[in-house]
Amino acid sequence: MIWYPYTQMKNMKTPYKIIKADGVYLYTEDNKMIDSISSWWSVIHGYNHPELNKAIREQMDRFSHVMLGGLTHNAAQQLSQKLETWLPGDLNYCFYSDSGSVGVEVALKMALQYYINQGETNRTKILALKNAYHGDTFKTMEVGDDIDYHFVIEAYGPKQNVIHISTDIPSLEKAFKKYHNELNCFIVEPLLQCAGGMKMYDISFLHRARELCDKYNVLLVFDEVATGFGRTGNRFVADLVIPDILVLGKALTAGYIGHSVTVANTKVYRAFYDNDSKKALMHGPTFMGNALACNIALKSIEIFEQNDYMSKIKEIKKITFNQLAHFKHKKIKEIRIMGGCMCIEVFDSQSINGFQEFAYKRGVFIRPFLNYLYTMVPYIIKKHELIKIIDIIKEWFDQ
Ligand SMILES: *Cc1c(COP(=O)(O)O)cnc(C)c1O
């Protein structure tokens, strides 16, 4: 049987069984619902997309997978070329993995070895943010600060090599002053901390982080597994402040197949490029650069560009904002909106208990967690569909 994620199996509510999915709609045997969270934020073009289906079929007819150890292929080469020109600055060197967590692990390993390769073995600490989420593997749990999910890591005692700070400039400056000799990187989910509760912060914090990283020679790592591909209203937050290492996942493959990419800039790459084989990056997920995943990612980027997705996201934000402009309720602590993400934080998680079922009956799939009721809609959503989601949320609080 299936062991489901993030849930107590003993009292788990039976999950909705999906038999078909198309556009923004998920179908069960007897219901049709709008997916308001894009299957963990990945299905940006909607389900069963004809062009993406064609891209995967065409690649499947050539071959589905070959390893990147000693072999290479067009799909991975073309995607890397595309990312090289599409991503800002000199973020040019693409290392593929099969999931976001592993992509972050690779970034952290790169950052550590970047200094080791230059004879600096004392830079073992990582600076990260409070409420950070970077994945569920062990090092990403350590770098994360999501005790509701990762309490098990406490069994190891206090974290030795990670310092967590809040998203204000004085805390940032203080941490750099104190630890800069020992830090290899500062890793952040830029502007929007998703799994940690859709927490939003200002770009000035990232500008200051870039300055301090330059001043003290610390690598800046952006985990844009969730924020990439338009979610914050920016194509990438990396367009505003350029990191040394960028991790993309989730929407990279439009929700078709798990894949991620860890992209390094020239400075990072050069620290590994040497006659000494010990300076190589010793990592290689079995399914890295999977041909189906790469071909879908390529097609997904093409669709994103050709259909002016950034305007679609602006429109989503505008509609969401207008629909919620005068909405208040005593149970609601705060409503936050950024790009294609909306979050209602309530004072007490009890007040959104039962909301999922309520929304299901009205034709919307939504999955609140802890004190957060949020939407991350597919970008192809129509105005009336988006309004329907928001109306159901209002109806819940107003009933
Ligand atoms: C989802 C997520 C990850 C982990 O990605 P997986 O593909 O689930 O391993 C890492 N970082 C962020 C910011 C995420 O939202």
Side-chain angles (χ1 to χ4, degrees):
M1 65 174 278
I2 302 173
W3 195 335
Y4 286 92
Y6 303 127
T7 191
Q8 174 49 262
M9 292 297 291
K10 192 168 179 186
N11 59 14
M12 180 182 72
K13 203 171 71 48
T14 311
Y16 306 118
K17 185 168 178 180
I18 301 308
I19 53 168
K20 185 179 120 175
D22 196 70
V24 298
Y25 290 97
L26 298 169
Y27 296 80
T28 58
E29 202 62 65
D30 50 17
N31 198 7
K32 170 185 174 188
M33 51 186 171
I34 302 169
D35 180 3
S36 68
I37 59 166
S38 310
S39 274
W40 270 329
W41 330 333
S42 61
V43 185
I44 55 174
H45 309 296
Y47 296 92
N48 199 16
H49 193 285
E51 286 178 74
L52 291 169
N53 288 2
K54 186 161 168 264
I56 196 169
R57 273 197 209 102
E58 283 175 357
Q59 181 57 48
M60 195 164 60
D61 287 340
R62 290 186 287 269
F63 58 90
S64 295
H65 180 69
V66 297
M67 67 180 187
L68 284 195
L71 303 173
T72 194
H73 57 86
N74 265 336
Q77 285 178 335
Q78 284 167 4
L79 177 60
S80 310
Q81 271 163 20
K82 181 70 205 176
L83 290 171
E84 200 176 321
T85 52
W86 207 51
L87 294 175
D90 63 342
L91 288 163
N92 292 343
Y93 302 91
C94 299
F95 190 97
Y96 297 100
S97 306
D98 35 25
S99 75
S101 302
V102 178
V104 173
E105 296 272 352
V106 170
L108 298 172
K109 197 178 192 176
M110 265 182 195
L112 177 64
Q113 195 179 343
Y114 170 83
Y115 292 98
I116 291 175
N117 281 358
Q118 300 174 82
E120 282 198 65
T121 51
N122 59 330
R123 288 190 180 259
T124 51
K125 285 192 167 47
I126 295 165
L127 188 62
L129 296 178
K130 286 187 178 151
N131 301 303
Y133 176 88
H134 295 292
D136 290 342
T137 55
F138 266 79
K139 193 68 190 176
T140 62
M141 283 200 288
E142 195 186 346
V143 172
D145 176 38
D146 203 345
I147 222 62
D148 288 312
Y149 285 86
H150 296 153
F151 57 87
V152 69
I153 197 100
E154 289 184 324
Y156 288 127
K159 295 180 181 180
Q160 300 287 323
N161 288 315
V162 183
I163 301 126
H164 289 106
I165 58 166
S166 32
T167 51
D168 63 84
I169 292 177
S171 306
L172 180 67
E173 290 176 340
K174 205 171 123 204
F176 267 89
K177 209 163 176 190
K178 186 163 176 202
Y179 296 108
H180 65 90
N181 284 327
E182 300 163 85
L183 293 177
N184 59 64
C185 72
F186 179 32
I187 183 167
V188 297
E189 293 163 86
L191 293 186
L192 173 61
Q193 298 182 282
C194 298
M198 307 298 159
K199 295 189 164 57
M200 299 165 189
Y201 61 91
D202 195 74
I203 189 70
S204 58
F205 179 83
L206 295 175
H207 281 297
R208 187 65 185 131
R210 182 69 271 178
E211 283 172 9
L212 290 166
C213 283
D214 289 340
K215 180 172 173 190
Y216 293 113
N217 187 27
V218 172
L219 296 177
L220 182 60
V221 181
F222 278 7
D223 175 355
E224 292 219 51
V225 169
T227 58
F229 300 95
R231 193 51 75 183
T232 66
N234 308 285
R235 211 176 52 128
F236 300 97
V237 183
D239 288 331
L240 307 178
V241 172
I242 308 184
D244 299 293
I245 301 173
L246 171 68
V247 190
L248 303 174
K250 290 196 166 98
L252 172 70
T253 37
Y256 270 66
I257 302 185
H259 223 64
S260 72
V261 62
T262 307
V263 192
N265 68 6
T266 310
K267 177 173 110 168
V268 171
Y269 183 75
R270 289 228 167 248
F272 290 77
Y273 192 81
D274 200 274
N275 291 326
D276 185 353
S277 60
K278 276 219 181 74
K279 290 190 177 173
L281 179 64
M282 297 305 283
H283 209 98
T286 303
F287 291 107
M288 71 181 292
N290 174 269
L292 300 177
C294 289
N295 217 41
I296 285 170
L298 252 179
K299 181 55 76 179
S300 171
I301 292 172
E302 197 181 305
I303 298 168
F304 192 100
E305 277 187 303
Q306 286 178 356
N307 298 281
D308 190 12
Y309 268 48
M310 293 317 297
S311 313
K312 286 189 203 290
I313 296 160
K314 258 201 197 100
E315 191 61 21
I316 289 169
K317 182 187 167 184
K318 201 174 106 197
I319 296 166
T320 310
F321 188 83
N322 288 341
Q323 293 301 308
L324 288 165
H326 303 291
F327 185 64
K328 282 197 188 83
H329 195 278
K330 62 178 190 305
K331 289 179 179 165
I332 295 176
K333 186 175 171 195
E334 191 179 44
I335 300 179
R336 297 189 280 273
I337 299 167
M338 181 185 278
C341 173
M342 185 283 291
C343 177
I344 295 180
E345 181 173 347
V346 293
F347 288 105
D348 180 358
S349 63
Q350 287 303 316
S351 61
I352 45 180
N353 238 352
F355 177 73
Q356 186 169 57
E357 200 58 31
F358 179 87
Y360 176 80
K361 285 187 187 133
R362 288 157 180 80
V364 168
F365 177 67
I366 198 157
R367 185 178 176 277
F369 64 100
L370 304 171
N371 290 18
Y372 312 105
L373 199 172
Y374 76 96
T375 58
M376 289 228 201
V377 293
Y379 300 146
I380 55 150
I381 196 162
K382 295 196 179 72
K383 187 173 179 181
H384 73 269
E385 293 162 337
L386 183 53
I387 291 176
K388 176 172 171 174
I389 296 171
I390 297 168
D391 280 348
I392 290 170
I393 293 173
K394 289 181 181 166
E395 191 190 336
W396 166 263
F397 283 102
D398 287 337
Q399 68 186 329

